[in-house]
Amino acid sequence: MKNKKLQSMIVIGMLSSISFVLMLFNFPLPALPAFLKVDFSDVPALIAAITMGPVAGVLVAFFKNVLDWIFSGSPTGVPVGHMANFATSLLFILPVYAIYRKVSTKKGIAFGLVIGTFSMAIGMSLLNYFVFLPMYTYFLNMPEQTGNALYTTIVLGILPFNLIKGLALTTVILLIFGSMHTWIEKQRSYYLS
C-alpha cells in the first residue's frame, strides 16, 4: 500500500512538471484577446485524472499553476490568471473523468471531451463575467468593464476562445488516447482498484 501511495505521489509530481513545461509553450489566437493563450498543459492533468482519479488530476492542475506562478509571476501581483487557468482545468477534466469512468471506451472519452469543452466554455464565460475580469481590472487599477463592453468580451472573446481550446485539446487527447488506451487501462486497474 505504501509503495502505491509513494508511486502515485511520484507520478503526480512528474505529470505536474510536464504540465508546467507545456504551459510555457502557450500562444494567443488571432482575432481574440491577447491575454487568452492556448496551451496543452491540461493533457497531463487529464491523464492523471483518468488513470489515478480526480484528486490526482486536480493536484496536477494545481501544481502546474503554482510552478508557473513562481516561475513567471503575475502582472497583477495576485495570481488571477493562474486561478482562472486552474478553474479552466477543473471545468475541463472533471466532466471527462466522470464520463470516462462510466464509459471506458473511445466513444466514452470522445463524449466526455465534448462535454468537458462545453463545460469549460460556459463555465469560464460565467466565471470571467462575474469573477476574473472584475478581479483583473481591480488589481490592475483599470476602469471596470461593464454592460455591453463586458458582454462583448465574453461572447466574442472568452466563449469562442474556450471552444477553440477545447477542440484543440480534444484533438490532441484523442490522438494520444488511440495509442495509449491499453496503457491507460493498465494504470487505471492498478491505481483505482
Side-chain angles (χ1 to χ4, degrees), residues 28-181:
L29 295 172
L32 291 174
F35 66 89
L36 298 171
K37 295 184 179 169
V38 174
D39 64 66
F40 294 99
S41 63
D42 287 331
V43 174
L46 182 61
I47 290 171
I50 287 174
T51 58
M52 294 185 285
V55 173
V58 170
L59 287 173
V60 170
F62 176 75
F63 290 137
K64 75 164 177 170
N65 278 292
V66 170
L67 287 169
D68 191 68
W69 182 43
I70 291 168
F71 184 76
S72 307
S74 171
T76 63
V78 177
V80 178
H82 296 94
M83 288 187 271
N85 186 284
F86 180 64
T88 303
S89 297
L90 297 185
L91 287 166
F92 182 71
I93 65 174
L94 293 178
V96 178
Y97 163 78
I99 291 169
Y100 187 72
R101 193 174 127 231
K102 300 284 186 199
V103 185
S104 303
T105 64
K106 191 165 185 170
K107 284 183 182 177
I109 193 86
F111 182 66
L113 289 165
V114 169
I115 298 300
T117 297
F118 282 109
S119 166
M120 175 176 67
I122 293 166
M124 286 312 294
S125 294
L126 292 170
L127 284 171
N128 272 291
Y129 187 85
F130 291 110
V131 181
F132 295 123
L133 288 178
M135 282 175 74
Y136 262 118
T137 56
Y138 175 79
F139 286 117
L140 290 174
N141 202 20
M142 294 169 53
E144 189 175 343
Q145 275 189 328
T146 56
N148 283 343
L150 182 57
Y151 181 77
T152 302
T153 300
I154 300 297
V155 172
L156 298 180
I158 307 290
L159 183 63
F161 168 80
N162 282 300
L163 289 171
I164 293 166
K165 179 180 178 179
L167 180 63
L169 285 168
T170 296
T171 303
V172 169
I173 291 164
L174 286 176
L175 289 171
I176 290 171
F177 186 81
S179 61
M180 291 181 64
H181 184 258

